[in-house]
Amino acid sequence: MGFVVSVGMEVHAELLTKTKMFCGCPNAFGGEVNTRVCPVCLGLPGSLPVINRAAVRHVLATALALNCSIARRSLFHRKNYFYPDLPKGYQISQYEETNPIGYHGHLELPTGKRIGIKRVHLEEDTGKLLHLPDGRSGIDYNRAGVPLMEIVTDFPPDIHSSEEAKQYLQYLRLTLIYLGVCDGKMEQGSLRCEPNISIAEEGSKSLGVKTELKNLGSFKAVALGIQHEAERMEAAVAKGETLRQETRGWDEKAERSYPMRVKEFESDYRYFPDPDLPPMKFEDAFIEEVRNSLPELPTARHRRYTSSFGLSDYDAELLIAEPAWAEFFDACVNKGGEPKAVCNWMNGDFAKMLNESGTVVSESRITPDHLADLVALVSSGQISGKMAKEVFETSFATGQMPRDIAQKQGLSQLSDKEAIRKIVIAVLNENADSAQKYRSGKTGVLGFLVGKVIQQSSGRANPQLVNELLIEELKR
Ligand SMILES: [Zn+2]
């Protein structure tokens, strides 16, 4: 009996704002514990929250980028539960059954597959428990009150494999980065993903019992975790065991999941509207202003690179991996660089040099002008591909324009027909026996003669021209 895997994805993204969600404390990562706290984010009695407008705008932009409908009126609720990382005894969130800021959207992958989005809402992050080596535990409230966006996929799920889940997460992360709303650093926890996984017999109309997976700190962990969890469930069902709804943790080292707790139910949280916070209202003019400010998103860029420029999926994916990298590519092409050539330089030599020097594109001396210049020198036959590599290395190290380097070093390729012809004739005279062999049908000696001519020209003669002129002279 075959099984169908269904995966729902709950993603939490910490928003890039100067201050926290409901107070003026800085929103930052790291630093000394409990140094970015105030009465509001510590939940001291009498303190009042104030909504961070930048965070609301970030969520609105994300909801629009994910093709969501936008609520005209949206409320904050208190989600009540008792845990030490939550100083107020409740988390300010948006209740599932009411209008979140964005709902009924989708994320389209470059393959054309659409992943339905159920809701995009705004809440606040909790503090962090720290377990010290000596057995004591402490709490860091620096993260408490940091604006957090939750993005939940549709039900029933559109995702049916670990690979699809990974792709969804990759494109969602890139979308957030392009929007400038989240830095997408999974290893720092600013982007967190909790998939829920269920299996059902093929053809079955209902979905099976789901488990939620936590502690997935990387794309690899997400893909592996989902795959292993589906396999674990299939094996359990095959043994006749009954699956139960639960939350499981992912052990990255052992590559297996372990039980954490049986899932709490919604009613445990006693949601109610936060009386200290007014409803958020979204006017059409504001929605349209934000919509018009959206950048070109990764899926659209991927599609443009493959369909308009004929780049491979692989190349397009490398180019869009970072906004600055994609912008560099576009700038080069706008300066007349042939897209395929620009792409090959970027994903090849340029990426390698940046990697080896431990720098990023924005710190590099190479600008789009440099690369467009290099590509033009090669395509017009002024320098050979081999010379171009050397020129590019010098340009990378010094910031000089490729054209200037080629001129200074006399690297420019010899494409002057008459100059090459002179060398060709001299070489044929010096190698009369080889010329004779060629004329008697042993055309294999041509390569030897081409080599001689290029050698005579100190490596500068355009090989294609050498070839043509040699044949011309040999036939004379
Ligand atoms: Zn605060």
Side-chain angles (χ1 to χ4, degrees):
M1 181 60 74
F3 288 100
V4 177
V5 179
S6 293
V7 183
M9 301 277 271
E10 221 179 271
V11 170
H12 284 97
E14 282 183 353
L15 297 173
L16 288 170
T17 54
K18 288 197 182 81
T19 55
K20 290 188 183 179
M21 188 58 227
F22 299 109
C23 63
C25 293
N27 173 11
F29 179 79
E32 204 180 319
V33 298
N34 294 314
T35 49
R36 297 187 296 271
V37 290
C38 74
V40 175
C41 55
L42 286 177
L44 300 189
S47 64
L48 283 171
V50 177
I51 298 172
N52 182 331
R53 288 182 68 93
V56 175
R57 193 189 164 101
H58 280 350
V59 175
L60 178 58
T62 305
L64 290 169
L66 296 175
N67 308 289
C68 286
S69 300
I70 305 300
R72 291 305 189 267
R73 189 172 182 276
S74 187
L75 293 175
F76 281 113
H77 293 81
R78 291 186 181 179
K79 178 180 180 178
N80 298 278
Y81 64 96
F82 186 73
Y83 203 65
D85 64 2
L86 199 64
K88 295 192 291 288
Y90 61 85
Q91 179 192 24
I92 302 177
S93 181
Q94 296 196 277
Y95 183 40
E96 181 130 4
E97 302 304 313
T98 59
N99 277 349
I101 295 176
Y103 56 97
H104 289 166
H106 65 263
L107 174 70
E108 191 164 323
L109 301 174
T111 54
K113 165 128 190 178
R114 285 182 175 186
I115 308 297
I117 305 285
K118 187 176 169 198
R119 52 190 282 120
V120 178
H121 82 227
L122 182 52
E123 57 189 33
E124 59 177 341
D125 211 343
T126 60
K128 233 187 223 173
L129 288 181
L130 302 168
H131 302 291
L132 305 172
D134 63 6
R136 290 180 306 156
S137 287
I139 311 167
D140 178 11
Y141 286 120
N142 281 345
R143 202 182 67 176
V146 162
L148 195 64
M149 173 166 62
E150 184 175 307
I151 301 163
V152 184
T153 54
D154 242 342
F155 188 84
D158 295 316
I159 298 172
H160 296 291
S161 69
S162 58
E163 193 45 47
E164 245 170 34
K166 189 176 148 199
Q167 217 188 6
Y168 164 75
L169 188 61
Q170 264 169 342
Y171 274 85
L172 179 63
R173 174 179 174 273
L174 275 182
T175 299
L176 303 183
I177 292 173
Y178 273 74
L179 290 169
V181 303
C182 175
D183 64 18
K185 291 180 181 163
M186 287 185 80
E187 69 286 0
Q188 289 186 0
S190 57
L191 189 74
R192 313 196 277 271
C193 170
E194 282 155 19
N196 59 71
I197 302 129
S198 64
I199 58 164
E201 281 178 10
E202 242 167 73
S204 158
K205 280 192 181 132
S206 58
L207 292 169
V209 168
K210 63 183 183 185
T211 57
E212 195 177 299
L213 211 50
K214 285 187 184 285
N215 299 345
L216 299 167
S218 65
F219 283 104
K220 190 183 155 221
V222 170
L224 217 55
I226 292 172
Q227 194 190 324
H228 279 238
E229 190 54 19
E231 284 165 7
R232 183 192 69 81
M233 291 167 107
E234 282 175 27
V237 170
K239 275 191 277 181
E241 291 170 19
T242 308
L243 297 171
R244 55 180 192 162
Q245 183 165 329
E246 61 181 333
T247 300
R248 296 177 71 89
W250 177 247
D251 183 336
E252 195 152 4
K253 271 200 191 123
E255 296 196 345
R256 62 183 180 80
S257 69
Y258 56 91
M260 279 174 90
R261 60 173 183 261
V262 175
K263 176 103 179 141
E264 307 95 343
F265 291 94
E266 290 286 295
S267 57
D268 292 351
Y269 293 129
R270 306 180 332 274
Y271 281 97
F272 64 89
D274 192 308
D276 291 338
L277 290 163
M280 290 178 280
K281 287 182 183 153
F282 295 93
E283 309 283 350
D284 286 347
F286 179 53
I287 295 172
E288 287 319 304
E289 187 238 299
V290 174
R291 195 195 302 277
N292 291 331
S293 72
L294 298 182
E296 186 183 22
L297 296 169
T299 299
R301 265 206 151 102
H302 185 285
R303 205 158 282 165
R304 182 161 62 82
Y305 291 171
T306 50
S307 65
S308 307
F309 299 150
L311 303 183
S312 68
D313 283 337
Y314 176 76
D315 273 332
E317 208 133 278
L318 288 179
L319 288 177
I320 64 166
E322 272 176 60
W325 197 234
E327 271 150 32
F328 190 98
F329 172 76
D330 280 340
C332 269
V333 171
N334 286 339
K335 288 179 186 297
E338 197 276 311
K340 184 70 191 158
V342 170
C343 166
N344 287 345
W345 280 107
M346 284 184 66
N347 290 344
D349 292 59
F350 193 17
K352 198 173 147 222
M353 286 189 244
L354 286 172
N355 194 22
E356 281 170 358
S357 63
T359 49
V360 294
V361 62
S362 58
E363 300 162 346
S364 167
R365 292 194 173 95
I366 297 288
T367 68
D369 281 315
H370 288 81
L371 189 50
D373 187 40
L374 184 77
V375 168
L377 285 174
V378 179
S379 68
S380 62
Q382 293 178 71
I383 61 173
S384 68
K386 192 166 165 274
M387 291 168 185
K389 276 181 183 281
E390 288 168 28
V391 169
F392 195 39
E393 269 172 31
T394 309
S395 188
F396 184 84
T398 63
Q400 285 174 280
M401 285 306 267
R403 197 167 294 274
D404 299 338
I405 297 166
Q407 255 162 22
K408 243 181 249 166
Q409 302 189 355
L411 273 176
S412 62
Q413 192 169 43
L414 191 54
S415 295
D416 178 343
K417 257 192 175 184
E418 290 323 303
I420 296 176
R421 195 187 297 277
K422 269 186 200 159
I423 304 174
V424 164
I425 292 170
V427 166
L428 288 179
N429 285 338
E430 279 166 31
N431 299 276
D433 49 333
S434 298
Q436 196 47 44
K437 275 186 192 163
Y438 181 89
R439 291 191 181 104
S440 64
K442 289 181 180 155
T443 52
V445 298
L446 189 65
F448 166 75
L449 293 167
V450 169
K452 281 277 169 200
V453 175
I454 292 179
Q455 205 181 344
Q456 287 280 318
S457 74
S458 315
R460 291 171 60 224
N462 178 329
Q464 209 180 331
L465 271 180
V466 171
N467 224 45
E468 277 170 30
L469 293 171
L470 262 174
I471 293 171
E472 232 180 87
E473 288 300 322
L474 282 164
K475 284 183 177 162
R476 202 177 278 273

